[in-house]
Each structure stands twice: as structure tokens, then as C-alpha cells.
Amino acid sequence: MLDAIAKRPRSQDVRQQILDTALRLFSQDGYFNTSIHDVQREAGVSIGSIYNHFGGKEGIAKALYHSLLEKMEALVDEVVSARTGAYDRGLAVVERLFLVTEQEPEAMRFIFGAKHREFLPDEPPICSAKPFVKLRDIIAVGVQNGEIRQMDHWVAASCAFGPALRMIALRLDGTMPKSLTGYGETVWNAAWLSVKEPDQSSCTGV
């Protein structure tokens, strides 16, 4: 999962403590409502430690951005390597993302809810990050294999994964009152109907 972290030397423990604290504060209060002194006080570290590791608040946000996206990319890679076919891979991705949303809402809120371009203007849009490119790759392979009908890959990926991402957003902002972990197959099957080849029903169950 996103929180799987290997043992680190002490300086890395301090670095991670700063990141964990900043993630919690950014998630609760927002980036602009969180000061570097808030992070320093809540993390129990010196201002010097923060500047030594990150150079400032923007550096913390950039490190969080890259760290969490790398972990999400690893999640997608793990799912893709363990499954075959666009239907099975997509279903597994949706189920894992729903599970992580329940287990690590602060991380998911930072990935999906934060307006990164407002405080990280030099970073590419979140939809251009590697994990989301790999979601489109699942769809592209499905088109090539005949699981998904011939259509623009951007449109197909939006139709396939858009409902799940919307459900995550609803859960993170408190609109969706129930856990997402029981909804993966239902949401994915509904989305799959919008992109699948008509003759694929027998192998997907929908």
C-alpha cells in the first residue's frame, strides 16, 4: 500500500516525520492555510531541519507530490503485472484505489483533491503524471486486444475510470457516507459497459 515504508536512518526518519505532518496539515487545513511554523511545531522538529531537507514549504509539497505519485505508480504496476486483460486490470485498479482511499484518505486527498498547479506551478497537471498515463495504457491495450471498441483513448479512459475517480472524490469530501470497498465491481462494471466491445460480455460477466 501507499504507506509501506522501509526502515530508514535517523535523518530520513526526521524527513518522513516532516512529510507525514505536512500531509496531515495540508489535507486538513489546505496548503495556503498551513505555515512552515505549523509544520515545524506539529512535527516537533527545528525550522533548520525543514529547510535543510526541503528548502521550505513548497519543497515539502513537491516532495509529497512526487513520493505519493511514485507509490501510486507502483500500485498500478503491481496490479497490471498480476492480471491480464483490460477488464481484470481495470477492476483490480479500481478496487485497490477504493481500498487505499479508505485506509489513507489524507494521501488520496492530496493526490486527487489538492489544486497542485496553484502551489506547484512548475509541475505538470496531475492527469499527466505516470500513474494516470498507465491507466490510459490499460485502455489502449484493451483497444488493441479487441476488449474495448475502437475509440479515442482519452475518451475511453475517461469513461472507464472517471466514475471511480468521481466516487473517490465524493468519499473524500464526505458526500459519500459509506465505505468504497464494497463498490469496486459495481462501479467498474457500469463503466465497462460504456467502452467494451459488444461481443466481450461473455468473458467479463457484464
Side-chain angles (χ1 to χ4, degrees):
M1 307 303 277
L2 295 182
D3 62 353
I5 302 171
K7 291 183 178 180
R8 307 177 185 84
R10 184 173 180 180
S11 63
Q12 288 294 80
D13 286 338
V14 171
R15 185 178 190 277
Q16 192 62 41
Q17 177 66 17
I18 295 168
L19 288 175
D20 290 344
T21 301
L23 176 61
R24 175 169 53 81
L25 293 176
F26 292 165
S27 176
Q28 290 176 355
D29 304 325
Y31 175 83
F32 292 108
N33 291 327
T34 301
S35 72
I36 197 74
H37 293 285
D38 293 331
V39 177
Q40 176 262 324
R41 181 178 61 254
E42 293 293 323
V45 300
S46 67
I47 287 290
S49 293
I50 293 177
Y51 282 101
N52 179 56
H53 284 286
F54 301 103
K57 189 171 74 167
E58 183 177 331
I60 298 173
K62 184 176 292 189
L64 275 174
Y65 178 85
H66 287 290
S67 174
L68 293 175
L69 285 178
E70 286 172 4
K71 291 172 182 177
M72 179 164 286
E73 181 184 3
L75 181 154
V76 175
D77 286 343
E78 177 185 341
V79 167
V80 169
S81 65
R83 304 293 183 97
T84 58
Y87 174 85
D88 287 340
R89 286 172 170 173
L91 172 59
V93 167
V94 169
E95 289 179 334
R96 287 289 296 277
L97 289 179
F98 281 5
L99 179 61
V100 174
T101 298
E102 297 302 325
Q103 294 181 338
E104 301 177 55
E106 291 175 347
M108 295 295 277
R109 190 172 289 113
F110 186 83
I111 293 171
F112 289 102
K115 296 180 179 179
H116 304 98
R117 300 303 295 278
E118 292 183 359
F119 53 88
L120 295 175
D122 296 330
E123 297 296 331
I126 191 73
C127 60
S128 299
K130 286 183 179 180
F132 298 93
V133 172
K134 290 185 176 185
L135 294 185
R136 292 197 297 274
D137 289 344
I138 291 174
I139 299 303
V141 172
V143 172
Q144 293 172 3
N145 291 344
E147 285 185 85
I148 297 172
R149 66 178 182 270
Q150 291 293 328
M151 59 192 302
D152 183 274
H153 296 171
W154 282 91
V155 174
S158 297
C159 291
F161 291 107
L165 297 181
R166 179 57 180 161
M167 289 288 286
I168 289 171
L170 291 172
R171 179 61 171 157
L172 291 174
D173 69 16
T175 303
M176 176 65 181
K178 298 180 180 179
S179 170
L180 294 180
T181 53
Y183 285 93
E185 187 172 3
T186 300
V187 172
W188 178 247
N189 282 343
W192 184 253
L193 286 172
S194 69
V195 299
K196 74 180 182 70
E197 274 286 355
D199 62 357
Q200 291 296 315
S201 58
S202 61
C203 68
T204 63
V206 295

